């Protein structure tokens, strides 16, 4: 599931880079460094990962509250495990965002502005 989530984040980021080629070209033409472009897309990818992690933890907590009613066993949520899951989702987001971010950072400004 981590692999599938990482591929999903990478695909979303590749689509984002493709749709925002003109924006990237304009930012580069106005003086944005490749590092700034790389950082922008890595932050976006990490936010996608963290958002997925928060939603997953939320669903897990709801499940932990509802499940004991059906199985008759207590279910507890470990804060350490939830924190570790959030950290893993952040790492997956960043790792999956490296390729799209580097692709955006390598775009030539003139080619990006010319495309449409």
């Amino acid at each position: 599931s981590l692999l599938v989530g990482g591929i999903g984040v990478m695909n979303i980021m590749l689509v984002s880079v493709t749709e925002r080629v003109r924006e990237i070209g304009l930012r580069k033409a106005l003086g944005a460094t490749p590092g700034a472009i790389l950082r922008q897309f890595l932050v976006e990818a990490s936010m996608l990962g963290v958002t997925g992690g928060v939603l997953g933890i939320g669903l897990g907590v709801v499940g932990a509250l509802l499940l004991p009613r059906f199985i008759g066993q207590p279910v507890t949520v470990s804060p350490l495990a939830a924190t570790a899951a959030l950290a893993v989702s952040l790492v997956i987001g960043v790792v999956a965002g490296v390729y799209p971010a580097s692709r955006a950072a390598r775009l030539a400004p003139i080619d990006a502005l010319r495309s449409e």
Side-chain angles (χ1 to χ4, degrees), residues 5-78:
I7 290 171
V9 169
M10 186 181 298
N11 284 336
I12 290 170
M13 292 308 299
L14 283 170
V15 168
S16 178
V17 168
T18 302
E19 289 179 351
R20 296 165 61 187
V21 168
R22 290 184 60 88
E23 173 194 336
I24 296 165
L26 183 61
R27 286 193 63 209
K28 288 186 122 188
L30 292 174
T33 63
I37 303 292
L38 183 78
R39 206 168 22 260
Q40 173 189 349
F41 283 96
L42 282 178
V43 166
E44 287 181 28
S46 65
M47 293 312 302
L48 279 172
V50 167
T51 301
V54 167
L55 288 173
I57 291 170
L59 285 173
V61 168
V62 168
L65 293 174
L66 295 177
L67 195 59
R69 296 179 186 170
F70 300 108
I71 64 171
Q73 296 283 333
V75 177
T76 60
V77 176
S78 166

